[in-house]
Amino acid sequence: IVTGEQFNTGNPSVTIVNALGQQINIEGRVSQANGNITINTEQLAAGNYTLRITTSDKIYIGKFIKL
């Protein structure tokens, strides 16, 4: 879950990229409510990923490891 009041406006774009630089299809796995973005990672393989959230005026980048 990614939380922030900044996600309350607009429709942020969410992208996940694996360690090989391949963009992962997350269509249907992202939900947004009350400033929280929830991404279902159940079907992702174990590994390192980069998360990118783009809003109308900001870009947030984070990394996570799926075990």
Side-chain angles (χ1 to χ4, degrees):
I1 297 175
V2 181
T3 305
E5 291 299 316
Q6 64 272 15
F7 301 126
N8 279 334
T9 59
N11 188 17
S13 168
V14 179
T15 304
I16 294 179
V17 177
N18 67 15
L20 299 175
Q22 300 166 321
Q23 186 169 328
I24 306 301
N25 180 4
I26 56 171
E27 186 175 333
R29 293 191 244 171
V30 178
S31 60
Q32 178 184 1
N34 301 322
N36 297 324
I37 294 176
T38 303
I39 304 166
N40 181 346
T41 60
E42 186 175 307
Q43 294 181 351
L44 291 180
N48 297 312
Y49 294 90
T50 301
L51 171 68
R52 179 182 178 119
I53 301 172
T54 305
T55 66
S56 59
D57 61 344
K58 296 179 182 175
I59 298 174
Y60 302 87
I61 297 176
K63 296 185 182 250
F64 68 94
I65 299 172
K66 169 75 187 270
L67 300 176

